Amino acid sequence: MSRRSAWLFVVIAAVLASAAGLDNGFAYDDLVVIADNASVHALRWPWEYFGESYWGPARGDDLYRPLAVLGFSVQWAIGGGTPFVFHLANVVLYALSALAVLALARELMAPRAALLGALVFAVHPVHVEAVGNVVGQSELITAVLVLLAITQYVRDRKVGALRRRSAVIIAVLYALALFVKEHAIVLPALLVAAELALTPTVFMARRESGEQGARRMRSLLLALTLIAAAYLTVRFVVIGAVTGDAAHPGLVGIGAAGRAWVMLALLPEVARLMLWPARLYADYSPQLVAIHASPSAAHLPGALVLLAWITIVAVSWRRSRLFVFLGAWFPITLLLASNVLVPTGVLIAERTLFLPSVGMALALGAAFAVFWPTRSETPTASMRQRWLSAGRMAVCTVLALGALRSSSRQSAWEDNAAVISTMVAEAPELFRGHLLLGETFAVNGDMYRAEPSLRRAVELYPGFPVAQIDFALSLREVGRCEEALSHFDAGLALDPRSQVAQVNRALCLLQLRRL
C-alpha cells in the first residue's frame, strides 16, 4: 500500500470514529471552562492569557493552560459561541493525532505494522472522552506536539546524530505543548527511553556520530530542562502552585505510598480500558472503583498485570527493542495522572489515557502485522493460510468494532443532561452521578427531586464533603433542618472552611430556635 493510501485510511478511520460528535453541545467541564467563562468569550492579545488560570475564579483559579484557553477563545470568536466549531476542531485534531501516530510508527516499524497501529489508535473507544468533550482539546493538541517532537528525534537518530535544527524544533514543540497541558513535561523522559531502548537496533550507533550525538543529546536535555523550569516558574507565579488540581476526595490524607497502593489496585481497570474498552464511564470514583490504600488481596490482580508488563519488557530487551520502548511509553506518559507523584482530581480518567494509548496501539499494530505477510511471504501451506485468513478477519473485526463503539459513544457527551443520565444509568453504584443529578435538580429549584439523588450520593460515599453539604442544603430547603444539621456537621468535619455549610447550618439553628 502506498504512503498516500495509508494516510487516507487513517484519516477515514479517525473521522468515522469521531464525526458523530459534531452535533454535541457543551457538557461537563465545558460549561465551566468555556460556556460560562467570560475570559473565553472575548478574543484578546495572546500574551494576556498567560497571566490567567485555566479554570478561572469559579474553580479557585486552578491549573495553568494558557494556549488551550487561547484556542477556545479563537474558536468562540469564529463561531460566535456555537459548539459546532469546537467539535469540528476536535475531529480535525483527532485526525491529525492519528496521522502523527502513523508518522512515528513508520519510523519505527514496517509500513503495514505502522498502518495497523495507527488504525488501532484511530478507532480506539477510550479516546471518545477526549474528542466528544470540548475540553479534551488540550489532550489532542499536546499529543500531536509530543508525537511530532518524538518523530523528529527518531528520524534523525535513525541516520546519525541529532541535527541542531531538529533540536530547536523539538524545544519549540516542547514549550508549546507545556503551555497547552502540563502532561507534556514527560517528553525528555520519552527521548531518553527511546535513546536507551532503540540504540543500536533502530538508531545509528556509528563511532563518528557517537560523540557528536551524545553532545547534542545533552544539550537538548539541558534546553528542555530549562524550558520546563521556566514553565513551572510562570505557572507558580500565576496560580500560586506547581501541582494544582485539588486531590480526588478518595485520596485526601493519603501519602505517596498509599496512593501507589491505590493505583496498583486500579491497574487492571486501566489495562481493560486499553485492551477491551467495551464499558466506558465519564467518572471512575467510589463505588464504581474501590480505594485500597494499604496492601490487601485486592492488589493481586494489579500485581499480576504489573508482573506481566515487566516480563514482556524484559524478554523484549533481547528480542525486540521496539517493544521495550513501547512498553516504557505507557508508564512514562501516564506518570503525572497516576497520582503516585502528586495527587490529582481523578483516580482514572479516559481522557488522560489518550497519549499513553499510543504505545499500546503501536504494539498491537506490530502484533497484528503477522497476519498481513507481504506477497513474497504468502504461505503455500493450506493450514497456515487458513490460520492467517482467520487472523486477518479477527483483526478487521476488532477494528470495525472499535470504530462502531467510538461512534456510538459520542452521544454520551451530547450535553450535560446526557452525561449525567448516562452516568447514572450505566453506573448506578457511582456516587458522583447521583450527586450531579441532585445538583442539577437543585439548580432548577426542584429540591424535592434533588433530595433523593443527593441522599443516594451520601449513602454511596459519605466521605465527600460536597455531597454531605449539598444533601444538607436540600433538606433545609424542604424544611427538614433537624435532619440537615447532622449532614452539615459531617460536611464541616471533612471541610471546615466551607462557608456555605457554616452559614446554612447557622440558619438552621435559628430556624429551630437554638440560639
Side-chain angles (χ1 to χ4, degrees):
M1 179 180 294
S2 68
R3 182 186 294 264
R4 183 176 300 177
S5 298
W7 299 124
L8 182 60
F9 267 109
V10 170
V11 169
I12 291 173
V15 172
L16 287 175
S18 60
L22 287 172
D23 291 332
N24 288 355
F26 294 123
Y28 215 34
D29 291 344
D30 296 346
L31 300 178
V32 177
V33 177
I34 301 172
D36 300 330
N37 189 356
S39 65
V40 170
H41 301 169
L43 191 59
R44 295 164 289 150
W45 293 109
W47 55 81
E48 295 184 35
Y49 295 90
F50 286 82
E52 300 175 349
S53 69
Y54 177 71
W55 285 109
R59 289 283 186 90
D61 288 318
D62 204 5
L63 295 182
Y64 184 63
R65 300 167 186 172
L67 290 183
V69 179
L70 172 59
F72 295 147
S73 295
V74 171
Q75 293 165 74
W76 187 278
I78 291 173
T82 177
F84 175 79
V85 174
F86 292 86
H87 289 289
L88 178 61
N90 274 21
V91 173
V92 172
L93 286 168
Y94 188 50
L96 289 175
S97 66
L99 289 176
V101 171
L102 177 60
L104 174 61
R106 290 181 71 94
E107 299 294 335
L108 294 173
M109 57 185 73
R112 65 181 183 276
L115 174 59
L116 288 170
L119 288 174
V120 170
F121 180 87
V123 304
H124 204 297
V126 83
H127 299 158
V128 172
E129 182 175 318
V131 182
N133 196 208
V134 173
V135 295
Q137 276 189 23
S138 58
E139 303 286 350
L140 305 177
I141 299 172
T142 301
V144 170
L145 295 173
V146 169
L147 286 166
L148 290 177
I150 292 288
T151 303
Q152 187 71 40
Y153 183 82
V154 171
R155 186 176 292 133
D156 274 19
R157 289 293 290 118
K158 283 178 65 178
V159 297
L162 179 70
R163 294 175 297 167
R164 184 178 289 105
R165 173 177 174 272
S166 297
V168 173
I169 291 174
I170 292 170
V172 172
L173 291 171
Y174 184 52
L176 292 174
L178 281 174
F179 285 99
V180 174
K181 190 174 183 184
E182 58 279 354
H183 289 186
I185 202 168
V186 301
L187 175 60
L190 287 174
L191 296 176
V192 171
E195 187 66 33
L196 294 177
L198 301 178
T199 303
T201 57
V202 177
F203 292 169
M204 292 293 292
R206 297 177 301 183
R207 183 183 301 275
E208 58 268 25
S209 65
E211 293 183 5
Q212 184 184 22
R215 286 198 304 271
R216 291 272 173 83
M217 181 65 173
R218 288 194 297 269
S219 299
L220 175 60
L221 291 178
L222 176 60
L224 297 184
T225 300
L226 293 175
I227 291 171
Y231 160 76
L232 293 174
T233 300
V234 175
R235 179 188 176 103
F236 181 81
V237 170
V238 175
I239 67 173
V242 171
T243 57
D245 217 4
H248 186 279
L251 299 176
V252 174
I254 299 178
R259 296 196 302 270
W261 285 113
V262 171
M263 299 314 295
L264 179 62
L266 297 178
L267 192 56
E269 184 69 6
V270 175
R272 179 194 68 78
L273 285 170
M274 286 290 95
L275 298 174
W276 193 252
R279 292 178 288 108
L280 299 167
Y281 305 102
D283 188 86
Y284 292 79
S285 292
Q287 300 300 323
L288 180 62
V289 297
I291 295 175
H292 301 280
S294 56
S296 69
H299 293 97
L300 180 59
L304 293 176
V305 171
L306 183 59
L307 179 62
W309 173 81
I310 293 174
T311 302
I312 292 172
V313 172
V315 171
S316 300
W317 185 262
R318 289 184 176 275
R319 299 189 177 185
S320 175
R321 292 290 189 88
L322 172 61
F323 281 93
V324 176
F325 174 55
L326 298 179
W329 182 286
F330 192 86
I332 290 174
T333 52
L334 193 63
L335 186 62
L336 287 187
S338 68
N339 291 300
V340 175
L341 292 181
V342 294
T344 70
V346 296
L347 296 175
I348 301 174
E350 292 166 11
R351 62 187 178 275
T352 63
L353 298 177
F354 189 80
L355 185 58
S357 69
V358 172
M360 180 279 308
L362 295 188
L364 287 179
F368 287 166
V370 301
F371 299 112
W372 262 269
T374 60
R375 183 168 299 179
S376 61
E377 297 171 339
T378 301
T380 57
S382 59
M383 181 63 71
R384 188 181 179 194
Q385 181 65 56
R386 287 197 294 269
W387 180 78
L388 288 172
S389 297
R392 286 193 290 268
M393 182 62 70
V395 172
C396 290
T397 301
V398 168
L399 293 175
L401 288 175
L404 181 62
R405 177 60 174 145
S406 294
S407 180
S408 62
R409 181 65 181 176
Q410 295 289 339
S411 62
W413 294 92
E414 181 178 1
D415 53 32
N416 214 45
V419 174
I420 296 172
S421 60
T422 301
M423 199 183 300
V424 174
E426 293 182 343
E429 70 275 33
L430 176 64
F431 90 93
R432 198 180 294 275
H434 296 281
L435 174 63
L436 292 174
L437 182 60
E439 289 177 342
T440 301
F441 285 136
V443 167
N444 292 321
D446 192 347
M447 287 298 176
Y448 286 96
R449 297 179 69 185
E451 186 267 335
S453 294
L454 295 172
R455 180 186 295 276
R456 182 58 179 155
V458 170
E459 291 172 350
L460 288 169
Y461 196 50
F464 190 36
V466 174
Q468 292 281 4
I469 295 168
D470 284 354
F471 179 45
L473 290 172
S474 70
L475 292 172
R476 177 181 172 273
E477 288 294 328
V478 297
R480 295 160 62 181
C481 265
E482 189 68 52
E483 186 180 355
L485 283 175
S486 62
H487 294 284
F488 278 130
D489 290 340
L492 286 168
L494 296 165
D495 183 9
R497 297 176 299 176
S498 173
Q499 295 181 359
V500 172
Q502 293 169 0
V503 171
N504 282 276
R505 180 180 181 276
L507 291 174
C508 262
L509 290 172
L510 287 172
Q511 185 175 337
L512 294 171
R513 299 180 183 275
R514 297 182 186 176
L515 307 182

